[in-house]
Amino acid sequence: PNDALVELLTMIDAAQGASAHRIIAVLPWYGYARQDKKSAPREPISARIVAKCLEGVGTDRVLTMDLHAGQVQGFFHVPVDHMTAMPMLTQWFMDQNLTEELVIVSPDAGRVKTARNFARRVGTHWAVMEKERPAQQVAEIGYVVGDVKGKTAVLVDDMIDTAGTICQAAEALKARGAKAVIAAATHPVLSGPAVDRLKATDFEEVIVTNTLPIPEDRQFDSLTVLSIAPL
């Protein structure tokens, strides 16, 4: 992400030096978006640093997708177009004609609105899970609020990073009687042990988009990648 950011800033500076009338930075994946506030004293707000860099080098407008928190738009003084992959992800489920009754599940309280909107578009019910983070990149899933027994549960999130949250959530859903579990997320970060965890957890499908390139060695049988190019 650091290489990509510096290359982007260098290209923006070059465009400005070539007297570009307007410069739009297109970032399908906004790096450092998760650090949008201080969760402990003396921490940096990294999402704001990226915004400062983009504005400081001369960006006139920013186009991005499914920010971890929509409030990141507030770090910018220039216009931000915040797009979402939800229409593509929901369309995939509608095209599959899944006969089992679906239930859309939010893996934590922060994604409740996303899960609810997703469920409305697909035309089904939704549920929410309780999650705690005792440490960075460590998630503990508690209980499920909603009926998932005998249904195909669709876990909806903005990204799959180390896959700890989504895999724990899948296990918790199965323990509560879900027939099958499908994961749907916009950004396939897939860092560290993510691929091994996803393979070890019996997901029916893992649906992501190509906001980030997925190397060949990080792909697996149940992974489906949707293109954001038409959007």
Side-chain angles (χ1 to χ4, degrees):
N2 300 320
D3 289 352
L5 178 61
V6 172
E7 285 175 13
L8 175 65
L9 297 174
T10 306
M11 288 190 289
I12 291 167
D13 184 72
Q16 197 176 44
S19 303
H21 172 62
R22 199 159 71 120
I23 300 167
I24 302 169
V26 180
L27 296 93
W29 160 254
Y30 185 99
Y32 295 101
R34 293 171 83 180
Q35 189 76 25
D36 59 331
K37 62 184 181 298
K38 288 186 180 183
S39 52
R42 296 178 294 281
E43 276 189 353
I45 302 177
S46 310
R48 184 174 62 186
I49 296 169
V50 175
K52 281 181 177 178
C53 289
L54 289 167
E55 286 189 337
V57 81
T59 308
D60 297 301
R61 193 179 193 101
V62 174
L63 172 65
T64 189
M65 281 191 74
D66 284 325
L67 289 166
H68 188 64
Q71 297 91 309
V72 169
Q73 296 170 79
F75 294 148
F76 288 91
H77 294 98
V78 298
V80 178
D81 295 304
H82 185 209
M83 304 184 80
T84 176
M86 190 182 290
M88 281 183 298
L89 293 169
T90 52
Q91 190 61 50
W92 185 89
F93 283 96
M94 289 188 273
D95 290 345
Q96 299 311 301
N97 294 319
L98 294 166
T99 51
E100 307 95 333
E101 191 181 354
L102 292 177
V103 56
I104 310 302
V105 183
S106 168
D108 56 49
R111 296 286 131 200
V112 167
K113 195 174 179 182
T114 304
R116 186 185 63 203
N117 293 341
F118 202 102
R120 283 176 179 168
R121 290 182 80 110
V122 177
T124 188
H125 305 289
W126 60 282
V128 63
M129 306 186 81
E130 185 266 340
K131 181 181 83 172
E132 284 187 17
R133 276 201 185 277
Q136 286 279 6
Q137 293 193 318
V138 177
E140 288 181 359
I141 298 291
Y143 49 84
V144 183
V145 181
D147 181 25
V148 297
K149 193 169 184 179
K151 298 178 181 178
T152 298
V154 180
L155 280 161
V156 178
D157 213 344
D158 63 317
M159 72 177 81
I160 301 175
D161 184 3
T162 58
T165 297
I166 213 150
C167 289
Q168 277 200 25
E171 297 294 349
L173 288 167
K174 283 179 184 169
R176 284 156 182 79
K179 189 191 297 182
V181 183
I182 298 173
T186 303
H187 307 297
V189 182
L190 303 181
S191 63
V195 173
D196 292 333
R197 284 175 174 172
L198 290 167
K199 284 179 181 174
T201 308
D202 190 22
F203 281 105
E204 194 92 353
E205 292 271 357
V206 178
I207 317 298
V208 295
T209 73
N210 61 349
T211 54
L212 284 156
I214 306 174
E216 286 288 331
D217 62 338
R218 308 293 285 172
Q219 296 182 23
F220 48 96
D221 292 342
S222 58
L223 183 70
T224 299
V225 183
L226 308 177
S227 173
I228 59 165
L231 185 64

